[in-house]
Amino acid sequence: MAFYRAHVLVCKGTGCTASGSPSVYEALKKEIERRGLDREVALVETGCHGMCEMGPIVVIYPEGSLYCRVTVDDVPEVVEEHLYKGRLVQRLLYTTPDTKFKVPHYRDIPFYSKQLRIALRNCGYINPDNIDEYIARDGYEALAKALTTMKPEEVITEIRASGLRGRGGGGFPTGAKWEFCRKAQGDKKYVICNADEGDPGAFMDRSLLEGDPHAVIEGMMLGAYAIGADEGYIYCRAEYPLAIKRLRGAIAQAGEYGLIGDNIMGSDFSFHVHIKEGAGAFVCGEETALMASIQGERGMPYPRPPFPANKGLWDKPTNINNVETWANVPTIIRNGGAWYASIGTEKSKGTKVFALTGKVNNTGLVEVPMGTTLRDIVFDMGGGILNNRKFKAVQIGGPSGGCLAEEHLDLPVDYESLTAAGAIMGSGGLVVIDEDTCMVDVSKFFLEFTQKESCGKCVPCREGTKQMLLILDKISSGKGRMEDLKILEDLAVMVKEMSLCGLGQTAPNPVLTTLRYFRDEYEAHIRDKKCPAMVCKALISYVIDPEKCRKCGLCAKNCPVNCIAGDRNTPYVIDQEKCIKCGTCLEVCPFQAVSKV
Amino acid sequence: MKEITLTIDGKTCKGAQGDTIMEVARKNDVYIPALCYLEGLTPIGSCRMCVVEVEKNPKMLTACTTPALDGMVVHTQTEKLREYRRQMLELIFAGRNHFCMYCSQSGDCELQDLAIEHGMDSVRYPYLYAGFENDATHRDIQIDHNRCILCLRCIRVCAEKVGTHTLDLQKRGWNATVVSDLGRRLGESDTCTTCGACAQVCPTGTITLREFAYRGRRKDCDDVIENVCPLCPVGCRIKVYVRTGSIARVEGTAVTEPDGGQLCRKGRWTLPRSSERERISVPMIREGSHYREAGWEEALGLVAEKFKKAHEADSDGVLVSSLCTDEELALFVSLFKDGLGMQRLDTFDGDILRGFVKGFEPFSRQGVRPFTAAHNILESDCLVNLSAEPDDEAPVIASYMRVGALRNGAALLNISCKPNPYGDLTDIDAVAPTPEQSAALVQGLADLVAGLKFPGGAQGGSTQDAMALLSEETGIPERTIEEILERLRAARKPIFLLGGCLSRNPAAVTSAVNLAIACGAFFDDGIGVVPLVSSGNSLGAINTVLAKEPWIGEKKLDFLYVYSSGMVPEDEASLSAISGTKFVVVQCPFWAQPLVNLADVLLPAPAWYERSGHYCTIEGERRRLNVVVPPKGEVRGLASILKDLSADLGVQPGRPEESPCENVYASEKPPTEAQMVLLEEVRK
Amino acid sequence: MAKVKVATVWLEACAGCHMSFLDIDERLVDLVDLVDIVYSPIVDGKKIPKATVGVIEGALGNDEELHLAKEMRKQCDIIVAWGDCAVFGGINCMRNFTDRRQALKEAYVDSPSTVNPGEVIPHEDIPHLLPQAIPVDHEVKVDVYVPGCPPDADTILWVFQELLEGRVPTVPSEMMRYD
């Protein structure tokens, strides 16, 4: 076995790939070879590190230095300074925004220091295309332990003890769900991995599948062993081609080693898994619609009861869990349920992966123990609000979730506290909102999404979300009346209670939470016909201050609808009738003469 | 079934384990509003009107899908539920074009009824005025998508009862609409059989039958009579709506019937149209090429005179439609056979029926019933089509076959001398070049299956050689024969559908029954064979007017008394014989061409809807017909006419046997005791 | 006791609801003893005076109808909207499925029995069409809804009787219809 004195890990997650990490990888490879270092330095491609804002990311061991935004031009210096001379390239290290401190070891970067990476333990560490690296990190040890020393019931006991709850959003105790399925009568049982991550802006599952596909597969096999299934499906959205490719590769490699298929590791347990690609429907992330889709039917949900644990895929007992849930299972079995339960809060154990996005400095994936406060996530790990603007709200749980205000910043993140505040944990989307975002617009954005993705089967969701959206449109264009708020709220409550599936039941959440915590913004739109955040186009105007205008004409030149008139001697004026409120004039004016009112 | 007890709205309700809350409620007369729920179709819980509150359960549950548990306490009419239902109804009204004043279905609309019931006197949401399409491409069925509430009943009935699954949804959410064939309009569909089941189950005015819209709301009709469709041997139960003496529409009785209340394009349209057809209202006597009206005395007198002469010369005959009821058939027998001692009685398409009778005879003699109720196709796991073309002969049978293959997972085999009528649904297609070869294949298979099950069976010798011989004889590849045998062996409850064209060769019918016995096709009521006889009451004709040996066309006759229903065309052979007869009396309700033009005397007859009686159907039971409208004017019932005629002939008719037709279903031994027979027995 | 003042208008309507009202036949005689119709298309009146009960038939399709509806709301204490047009929008809403220009063109130029070679669409000195034909309650608050096309005479009489006894009624399901 070769021994290397240094490992250079290049992130090949989708985000970094989009920023150009493949070329950086190639450049590094060439440079290392050119310098004759290829026998001493190993170059590894890994999955997503999580700090996607700073990509392409290159981490070099044994120092553990994390270099940010590495370009092809930086490569010679990195190889020369770091690999040859052993000196850190300071300018590429992560710089804390307030103290401007250059952090030498990545674990001290605030983004990482507060994380506890259990599900993401291998992401950014291993090459996901090489099963040996997964095995070297204790991969498939849990499966071996279970198959040789544990009975299926004992596996369930460990999971129950761990307190693991469904990470897809439902938060249902996983151990209990497995037990229902185990007890269900059936000659055939299935396990399913829900990898149809549909929330806009959520990429936790994608990174997991791309960075550590074996963790999910091993988790599924442990689950199958526990409930008595021998076949499984991974329903992965077709928009994740890299994840699907890595999964297929991982399954093939595991098959070669006898770690999946018939008589795994020589035991009586057999397991075969199929990958089913989604086809662009958010509603197919709902478990009953997902199963309908696997069966070749139109992806529309079915009322429950009966529950999938008793009557699921092709009417057989089925256990469905989210990608992140499955990924936690091997670690729990290896370290024991009690260990997992020692992390987190009383009712929410373990960790949760969040996709931190929005108006923060550090966007990316973070995995934190349950109970971490929102303040820590947004300000410490996220590095505070972008451009030093003021924090206004944080939207948790994607289109199914709710908006929380400043008063909730010290809320510990766990299922119960979030639900009590009106939001939901959801799959982990966390969007940070600043003072320049209009809350009416935010709820309209999410409602537009859920309304478009509604399958159309049940009346409350199909018609209700449409009417709610119409009211929001009215309000954001200044035509709303105070009675509309009552109609909107009543409708939201009804849709939430009466819809057939989770899509309809949670679609009103953004509306309800924004009405609860930001009602004043709605009322400003209606009563004053003003948008406090200056976002809703119908309620804002762009004006040029004649005092500040230097008559340079740049605004007129760039205006897409030619609505700005003036000349060398006359201050320019915007024709409000024709203005489409695109904001280009404000952006290009060198004298700050254009303002929004 | 274990009994369970629920409390619904304070009332103690009993039900069976496995019932849903809705089923328990309905059994106990507790009303829960619903739009998408229809008994007989798989419930989907999409309209949310039946949502109920169940104590100790925080979620709102749909009564139609939630299994009822012993001890459940259910509330169906709380303030909150009423308010939510009202909101959802208003949402539905605002969503599409639901203006009642110009809708043909107003007054007959479940959506309207629910809205009024919930006191909806205004709609708080703005109407969306979206303008969906009004699909009038189909000649008979119109789909106005503006009125659609997406209850999906039409989709479910078309998939679960008719089996074509022509209708389904396209697009998603608010834009979703019902389409045919994955994206076509109904008139462009290749799979629609025009059965009209979709229109029957549609709760609003979305799917309407173009001919019968505005003919009368169901509530406005003077009467609704239960009757039986006479047009094919299935004999679907029907509801006939009458308004001012005219048939306003015809529907199936209920979706819970095995036939799903679907009727077919024949029953749903031909039957109501028939009440508008021109009638033979008084007796008429031919003069040259015209008919002049005559009185009953003159007409029947003439008939009697001509008959006596012909009878003396043994040149007389009677042809009776097998759309006659059992009672009418018995009357004919009592006068002409018993009273007058005539030898020549027969029915139209007699050869088909005779073939079945002769083919079945060896088994009837064993005391077993050689056929089973048609709807048992839905209980079978292997459907074998023996030269049947049910899409034309009996569309509901075709539906059974499709539903069996598609939804019940049954294998579908086509062993026939005709092309495969089921397209891609068929698992094995074995079409022989001639009917004889197809029949030989059937018998050969019977022998092979029996041989496999009973060592040293009918043929003896090696199976492989037998298969090779059979392949050569019939022109079917050996591999196909092997596959068929595999399927037949694996089948636990196969069923064999015999087409009418097969029966012209009685030996083929016997072979089919042999095959059924060999494969263990036994149902509660008989051997797993469904004979597609040709007419509504063919089974009734067997023990009454059917001739044991054919006489039509043998020689030119001097006298023929022909009774036709006028609802289905007469067969070529009969028409040819009639046109060659010297004196023909035609008794028919309608001016049915070309039959009436061949007559010398025309006598009026009651139409199918003007009489009562019984039919022996291939659904395994005798079904009762009721008078829809009483006959008017000179149209008299058959009994009265034949009484006068027998008086004129100076004969006393014998007493008609009480129920000569019920013997058709009789059996002394269970079907499992049936024995295969050698064909030589039949051929003689 | 002073007679209760009632005002009625018919807006974008066929007047069928008023005809249905008259179908109370001889009971009209008793009603007139208790009620003073101060403004109505069926009596002489130039301006809408103050009244206790204001009845609006028909939808709001143009400026004038909108103005009249608002006047009625101002002058009357209780507004009754009778007929499907006033309550739901009714037949008038058929034009909402297309745009105004198209509707006008269909009516004045394209319809088979029209001779209009100049393709003139009237527009001078006449009220302007609203963007959509709307039910009354989209613009003016309504207190009593009486759906029907037309509502039954008995239902209308019942509504008047309730109002005369000082109650603001809601039409019960047994008396309600939509056609």
Side-chain angles (χ1 to χ4, degrees):
Chain A
M1 196 180 94
F3 180 72
Y4 295 96
R5 68 163 174 85
H7 286 74
V8 177
L9 276 55
V10 181
C11 177
K12 282 284 200 79
T14 301
C16 288
T17 305
S19 310
S21 67
S23 354
V24 173
Y25 180 85
E26 289 305 312
L28 276 165
K29 189 153 175 249
K30 276 211 198 73
E31 187 68 14
I32 288 172
E33 270 175 33
R34 191 178 76 81
R35 293 299 212 115
L37 291 169
D38 45 309
R39 293 277 176 101
E40 306 163 32
V41 175
L43 187 59
V44 186
E45 346 179 317
T46 67
C48 177
H49 285 269
M51 202 162 68
C52 306
E53 178 74 35
M54 300 295 163
I57 291 185
V58 176
V59 182
I60 301 188
Y61 283 95
E63 292 82 0
S65 338
L66 191 148
Y67 290 125
C68 307
R69 300 207 171 115
V70 180
T71 63
V72 172
D73 296 328
D74 296 323
V75 166
E77 186 183 345
V78 168
V79 176
E80 167 84 28
E81 288 295 306
H82 190 132
L83 293 173
Y84 222 66
K85 297 182 182 159
R87 294 200 289 249
L88 300 182
V89 183
Q90 293 289 327
R91 66 177 178 83
L92 288 177
L93 288 173
Y94 175 80
T95 315
T96 53
D98 40 359
T99 58
K100 304 283 180 247
F101 171 59
K102 298 209 179 290
V103 187
H105 195 292
Y106 91 87
R107 66 161 171 267
D108 296 324
I109 301 174
F111 189 84
Y112 289 102
S113 60
K114 299 227 163 145
Q115 286 193 43
L116 178 56
R117 291 167 82 88
I118 299 178
L120 295 178
R121 54 192 284 274
N122 290 329
C123 288
Y125 245 50
I126 64 168
N127 178 357
D129 284 324
N130 186 350
I131 187 176
D132 292 327
E133 296 205 8
Y134 179 70
I135 292 175
R137 293 265 296 164
D138 299 329
Y140 289 106
E141 192 185 295
L143 185 61
K145 179 178 172 185
L147 290 182
T148 53
T149 66
M150 294 169 85
K151 291 213 269 294
E153 293 82 4
E154 289 169 333
V155 175
I156 296 183
T157 309
E158 278 310 312
I159 300 293
R160 282 199 90 127
S162 73
L164 178 67
R165 291 167 70 163
R167 294 286 187 256
F172 193 84
T174 309
K177 205 194 255 198
W178 287 18
E179 189 144 355
F180 287 143
C181 202
R182 172 145 198 96
K183 290 205 178 116
Q185 302 285 344
D187 50 351
K188 173 95 183 166
K189 294 186 186 174
Y190 293 98
V191 288
I192 298 180
C193 172
N194 185 346
D196 190 58
E197 189 171 51
D199 286 1
F203 53 105
M204 300 75 66
D205 294 345
R206 193 198 74 215
S207 296
L208 248 173
L209 288 170
E210 289 174 0
D212 193 9
H214 286 282
V216 177
I217 297 168
E218 190 184 351
M220 281 178 80
M221 285 203 273
L222 283 161
Y225 177 68
I227 67 164
D230 63 353
E231 205 173 332
Y233 282 84
I234 301 178
Y235 190 94
C236 185
R237 59 184 303 190
E239 294 89 336
Y240 286 175
L242 184 56
I244 293 176
K245 177 161 159 278
R246 295 254 161 91
L247 275 170
R248 286 202 210 278
I251 294 170
Q253 287 187 359
E256 281 168 32
Y257 278 19
L259 294 167
I260 196 171
D262 293 320
N263 301 109
I264 296 170
M265 296 188 209
S267 73
D268 287 332
F269 175 64
S270 302
F271 183 74
H272 294 267
V273 72
H274 316 277
I275 298 182
K276 162 90 183 161
E277 292 184 37
F282 175 67
V283 73
C284 283
E286 197 280 338
E287 60 179 14
T288 55
L290 190 155
M291 290 192 293
S293 178
I294 294 180
Q295 289 172 191
E297 294 159 21
R298 195 178 142 93
M300 294 201 298
Y302 284 85
R304 297 165 297 171
F307 290 91
N310 292 312
K311 239 177 124 180
L313 199 57
W314 288 295
D315 285 346
K316 306 285 182 213
T318 305
N319 183 67
I320 306 185
N321 277 121
N322 170 266
V323 168
E324 193 183 328
T325 317
W326 288 124
N328 276 304
V329 169
T331 312
I332 292 175
I333 297 299
R334 264 200 329 274
N335 298 349
W339 160 81
Y340 196 78
S342 69
I343 305 161
T345 65
E346 195 201 319
K347 293 235 179 92
S348 306
K349 300 292 184 193
T351 58
K352 177 82 189 82
V353 180
F354 286 100
L356 183 58
T357 56
K359 300 285 181 72
V360 273
N361 281 312
N362 303 328
T363 58
L365 282 186
V366 297
E367 185 172 356
V368 294
M370 296 281 194
T372 309
T373 63
L374 283 169
R375 193 182 293 279
D376 278 347
I377 298 176
V378 174
F379 289 98
D380 280 348
M381 302 165 85
I385 308 298
L386 206 55
N387 294 331
N388 273 319
R389 304 296 287 161
K390 200 160 128 21
F391 170 88
K392 188 197 262 188
V394 64
Q395 213 276 352
I396 310 188
S400 319
C403 296
L404 297 179
E406 194 168 352
E407 69 208 66
H408 300 113
L409 270 176
D410 292 303
L411 210 59
V413 161
D414 78 359
Y415 289 100
E416 274 66 36
S417 333
L418 289 176
T419 313
I424 61 165
M425 176 86 72
S427 57
L430 227 163
V431 183
V432 179
I433 294 169
D434 69 0
E435 55 186 325
D436 292 328
T437 312
C438 170
M439 298 316 286
V440 178
D441 194 55
V442 163
S443 67
K444 205 171 93 158
F445 170 79
F446 283 115
L447 196 58
E448 256 168 12
F449 177 77
T450 39
Q451 197 273 316
K452 219 187 286 188
E453 294 290 334
S454 166
C455 76
K457 187 168 178 181
C458 76
V459 172
C461 176
R462 177 179 85 231
E463 307 283 343
T465 52
K466 182 113 184 139
Q467 291 282 356
M468 279 164 65
L469 193 54
L470 279 180
I471 296 177
L472 285 176
D473 270 334
K474 257 175 87 180
I475 293 176
S476 65
S477 49
K479 302 207 185 93
R481 301 170 304 186
M482 290 307 267
E483 305 90 81
D484 289 330
L485 281 183
K486 176 154 190 354
I487 296 181
L488 178 65
E489 206 158 12
D490 286 346
L491 192 47
V493 169
M494 188 277 282
V495 170
K496 196 177 157 81
E497 276 214 71
M498 293 294 266
S499 290
L500 196 156
C501 82
L503 195 157
Q505 285 159 7
T506 55
N509 282 348
V511 175
L512 284 170
T513 47
T514 48
L515 275 173
R516 186 165 155 188
Y517 299 120
F518 301 96
R519 203 184 186 89
D520 50 308
E521 284 200 43
Y522 283 88
E523 288 179 357
H525 282 73
I526 295 173
R527 236 190 358 243
D528 313 326
K529 308 257 188 279
K530 287 224 172 298
C531 173
M534 302 273 206
V535 170
C536 297
K537 292 204 157 91
L539 303 179
I540 55 170
S541 346
Y542 286 82
V543 288
I544 301 177
D545 184 349
E547 303 283 302
K548 293 200 185 145
C549 175
R550 294 283 172 273
K551 312 173 194 79
C552 68
L554 256 175
C555 53
K557 235 189 271 195
N558 286 291
C559 173
V561 293
N562 287 323
C563 73
I564 313 184
D567 57 39
R568 292 297 326 278
N569 301 312
T570 332
Y572 280 77
V573 176
I574 299 171
D575 181 353
Q576 295 301 330
E577 298 274 298
K578 295 206 190 128
C579 174
I580 60 166
K581 325 271 170 67
C582 68
T584 310
C585 50
L586 194 150
E587 274 176 50
V588 303
C589 176
F591 304 109
Q592 281 93 50
V594 187
S595 54
K596 261 197 291 194
V597 296
Chain B
M1 276 278 116
K2 180 172 161 248
E3 196 189 64
I4 53 175
T5 311
L6 280 67
T7 314
I8 306 181
D9 292 337
K11 182 173 163 183
T12 308
C13 299
K14 298 222 180 282
Q17 181 91 324
D19 281 348
T20 58
I21 298 178
M22 177 71 88
E23 284 167 340
V24 174
R26 293 226 166 160
K27 277 183 190 169
N28 289 272
D29 279 329
V30 174
Y31 169 69
I32 304 181
L35 273 175
C36 69
Y37 174 73
L38 187 62
E39 216 184 320
L41 297 177
T42 310
I44 53 174
S46 76
C47 69
R48 319 303 291 171
M49 293 301 289
C50 72
V51 165
V52 292
E53 292 187 35
V54 176
E55 280 184 23
K56 299 212 199 93
N57 197 317
K59 294 221 154 183
M60 306 287 257
L61 302 169
T62 41
C64 62
T65 58
T66 308
L69 299 173
D70 198 30
M72 255 184 175
V73 180
V74 181
H75 299 281
T76 70
Q77 297 289 339
T78 64
E79 251 328 295
K80 184 162 82 159
L81 283 175
R82 280 193 72 84
E83 174 54 31
Y84 282 169
R85 286 181 192 140
R86 166 87 192 253
Q87 280 190 357
M88 290 194 296
L89 287 165
E90 289 185 30
L91 281 173
I92 296 177
F93 269 76
R96 294 197 186 192
N97 175 354
H98 291 285
F99 291 106
C100 301
M101 65 277 284
Y102 44 82
C103 178
S104 65
Q105 203 74 355
S106 178
D108 239 351
C109 171
E110 293 183 44
L111 177 66
Q112 192 187 61
D113 290 342
L114 269 182
I116 291 178
E117 186 193 306
H118 284 80
M120 189 187 94
D121 62 357
S122 64
V123 173
R124 77 194 81 173
Y125 309 107
Y127 276 65
L128 298 175
Y129 302 121
F132 288 81
E133 195 187 55
N134 184 351
D135 177 2
T137 49
H138 194 290
R139 196 189 60 166
D140 300 304
I141 304 174
Q142 175 172 291
I143 307 186
D144 185 352
H145 295 283
N146 290 296
R147 306 204 180 276
C148 183
I149 59 171
L150 291 178
C151 69
L152 312 186
R153 279 188 192 175
C154 55
I155 296 176
R156 282 177 283 158
V157 82
C158 190
E160 294 172 22
K161 301 291 177 185
V162 185
T164 53
H165 204 148
T166 301
L167 298 170
D168 213 315
L169 282 178
Q170 74 167 358
K171 297 199 194 162
R172 173 168 82 200
W174 190 74
N175 298 309
T177 49
V178 175
V179 287
S180 318
D181 292 359
L182 294 177
R184 293 185 180 163
R185 301 193 173 93
L186 192 61
E188 300 154 1
S189 164
D190 288 329
T191 58
C192 173
T193 60
T194 317
C195 69
C198 51
Q200 185 174 316
V201 298
C202 180
T204 61
T206 305
I207 309 186
T208 48
L209 302 180
R210 298 172 74 166
E211 221 166 293
F212 309 114
Y214 299 109
R215 286 274 285 267
R217 303 172 187 174
R218 292 180 182 91
K219 292 181 196 153
D220 290 339
C221 287
D222 304 318
D223 226 335
V224 183
I225 311 287
E226 288 212 2
N227 204 306
V228 171
C229 174
L231 300 174
C232 93
V234 176
C236 297
R237 273 194 251 268
I238 54 177
K239 281 201 299 226
V240 185
Y241 290 83
V242 190
R243 192 156 182 243
T244 60
S246 209
I247 298 179
R249 77 175 80 206
V250 170
E251 288 185 347
T253 44
V255 180
T256 42
E257 295 260 327
D259 60 44
Q262 62 181 284
L263 294 194
C264 72
R265 68 184 176 285
K266 299 201 284 188
R268 209 178 281 277
W269 273 276
T270 318
L271 296 184
R273 285 177 189 157
S274 63
S275 73
E276 310 306 308
R277 287 169 70 182
E278 212 187 330
R279 300 292 299 273
I280 297 174
S281 42
V282 290
M284 309 201 95
I285 298 181
R286 191 188 191 124
E287 283 187 354
S289 40
H290 299 292
Y291 290 96
R292 65 161 173 89
E293 290 185 5
W296 279 100
E297 260 192 58
E298 187 192 347
L300 285 180
L302 179 59
V303 170
E305 182 199 318
K306 295 287 180 185
F307 173 76
K308 278 193 195 128
K309 269 216 282 255
H311 190 58
E312 276 158 33
D314 191 30
S315 190
D316 51 346
V318 176
L319 258 183
V320 177
S321 162
S322 49
L323 268 75
C324 286
T325 59
D326 287 352
E327 290 76 2
E328 288 169 333
L329 293 171
L331 280 170
F332 276 111
V333 168
S334 82
L335 171 57
F336 289 105
K337 191 142 89 170
D338 300 338
L340 292 165
M342 274 179 72
Q343 299 304 311
R344 289 186 206 87
L345 273 84
D346 206 358
T347 178
F348 296 109
D349 278 322
D351 284 338
I352 294 180
L353 199 50
R354 254 184 297 281
F356 277 117
V357 171
K358 288 200 176 157
F360 283 153
E361 216 208 321
F363 307 99
S364 320
R365 266 192 274 126
Q366 288 176 21
V368 296
R369 188 162 123 182
F371 58 89
T372 183
H375 58 255
N376 279 334
I377 293 177
L378 297 170
E379 307 295 322
S380 167
D381 63 343
C382 182
L383 315 172
V384 185
N385 189 56
L386 299 174
S387 297
E389 287 175 312
D391 277 310
D392 298 321
E393 297 170 37
V396 170
I397 304 282
S399 291
Y400 287 159
M401 299 291 272
R402 283 189 295 260
V403 172
L406 262 179
R407 299 194 69 88
N408 301 342
L412 182 50
L413 281 58
N414 184 42
I415 301 175
S416 168
C417 55
K418 300 221 170 141
N420 174 14
Y422 305 108
D424 290 333
L425 287 180
T426 317
D427 292 296
I428 305 177
D429 208 0
V431 179
T434 65
E436 291 75 28
Q437 282 169 295
S438 188
L441 176 61
V442 174
Q443 184 59 43
L445 286 168
D447 294 337
L448 279 167
V449 173
L452 287 167
K453 282 192 179 159
F454 310 109
Q459 293 283 11
S462 115
T463 315
Q464 213 58 41
D465 292 338
M467 282 205 290
L469 261 172
L470 190 58
S471 170
E472 217 187 292
E473 192 186 340
T474 58
I476 304 291
E478 238 182 278
R479 176 82 202 117
T480 311
I481 297 180
E482 218 178 314
E483 280 171 15
I484 296 177
L485 285 173
E486 250 177 74
R487 291 277 187 174
L488 290 176
R489 269 195 308 152
R492 277 173 294 122
K493 241 180 166 173
I495 202 165
F496 297 82
L497 181 61
L498 300 185
C501 69
L502 196 92
S503 66
R504 292 185 196 281
N505 174 3
V509 175
T510 309
S511 300
V513 184
N514 275 342
L515 180 55
I517 296 172
C519 297
F522 303 124
F523 289 82
D524 287 337
D525 58 348
I527 299 178
V529 167
V530 177
L532 270 193
V533 294
S534 51
S535 312
N537 199 14
S538 289
L539 294 184
I542 289 178
N543 292 336
T544 52
V545 298
L546 183 68
K548 293 277 180 285
E549 297 300 325
W551 49 263
I552 296 196
E554 248 180 19
K555 69 171 192 186
K556 279 200 191 296
L557 295 173
D558 289 339
F559 177 93
L560 254 186
Y561 189 107
V562 179
Y563 186 100
S564 170
S565 68
M567 294 295 287
V568 292
E570 296 78 19
D571 62 288
E572 277 303 311
S574 304
L575 284 176
S576 164
I578 294 169
S579 73
T581 305
K582 233 166 100 185
F583 189 86
V584 176
V585 182
V586 167
Q587 186 172 13
C588 183
F590 307 107
W591 283 91
Q593 304 296 1
L595 180 65
V596 295
N597 274 5
L598 301 172
D600 293 290
V601 173
L602 285 171
L603 297 176
W608 66 270
Y609 51 87
E610 291 169 342
R611 55 184 190 165
S612 65
H614 290 84
Y615 265 26
C616 296
T617 67
I618 61 171
E619 286 282 37
E621 53 179 15
R622 251 178 129 215
R623 289 184 172 172
R624 184 170 165 83
L625 291 70
N626 299 302
V627 173
V628 176
V629 261
K632 292 188 261 296
E634 291 296 320
V635 180
R636 296 156 65 187
L638 188 67
S640 141
I641 302 171
L642 290 186
K643 186 153 154 276
D644 283 353
L645 186 58
S646 49
D648 285 343
L649 292 169
V651 190
Q652 269 292 18
R655 288 222 41 206
E657 253 188 73
E658 290 288 317
S659 44
C661 308
E662 275 189 6
N663 302 337
V664 169
Y665 301 118
S667 68
E668 294 144 20
K669 301 211 188 98
T672 40
E673 292 193 27
Q675 302 284 326
M676 289 170 68
V677 300
L678 295 174
L679 289 187
E680 284 60 48
E681 271 192 49
V682 186
R683 283 192 182 123
K684 49 177 185 297
Chain C
M1 194 171 87
K3 287 194 192 179
V4 175
K5 295 202 169 71
V6 172
T8 83
V9 282
W10 60 48
L11 305 176
E12 190 132 314
C14 70
C17 299
H18 275 74
M19 298 306 110
S20 186
F21 162 58
L22 293 175
D23 273 341
I24 58 177
D25 299 330
E26 68 276 6
R27 295 171 289 181
L28 185 61
V29 175
D30 297 323
L31 186 64
V32 167
D33 273 345
L34 303 163
V35 145
D36 193 7
I37 303 183
V38 295
Y39 182 87
S40 174
I42 57 177
V43 304
D44 194 20
K46 300 287 182 277
K47 244 172 68 96
I48 304 178
K50 285 245 175 269
T52 315
V53 175
V55 175
I56 303 185
E57 173 185 334
L60 308 180
N62 63 33
D63 301 5
E64 189 208 2
E65 288 155 3
L66 178 58
H67 168 80
L68 279 171
K70 290 187 172 160
E71 267 295 296
M72 285 288 279
R73 181 73 264 183
K74 205 169 80 176
Q75 301 288 81
C76 307
D77 299 330
I78 303 172
I79 291 286
V80 177
W82 72 22
D84 274 0
C85 293
V87 172
F88 297 120
I91 289 194
N92 316 291
C93 294
M94 280 179 84
R95 77 153 167 95
N96 296 344
F97 289 88
T98 180
D99 67 59
R100 274 183 290 185
R101 302 202 126 236
Q102 190 58 39
L104 286 168
K105 192 157 174 292
E106 181 78 28
Y108 287 103
V109 181
D110 293 338
S111 55
S113 54
T114 302
V115 179
N116 185 357
E119 299 200 1
V120 177
I121 295 179
H123 57 276
E124 287 174 24
D125 298 332
I126 54 169
H128 288 123
L129 282 185
L130 296 176
Q132 285 190 329
I134 48 175
V136 173
D137 66 355
H138 274 46
E139 285 291 338
V140 151
K141 186 172 179 312
V142 170
D143 303 300
V144 182
Y145 294 93
V146 190
C149 185
D152 279 331
D154 293 332
T155 308
I156 294 178
L157 184 62
W158 178 84
V159 169
F160 273 121
Q161 282 166 345
E162 289 287 303
L163 287 166
L164 284 170
E165 300 211 2
R167 294 187 283 268
V168 177
T170 307
V171 175
S173 303
E174 310 82 73
M175 291 191 197
M176 207 190 295
R177 52 188 298 157
Y178 295 149
D179 66 350

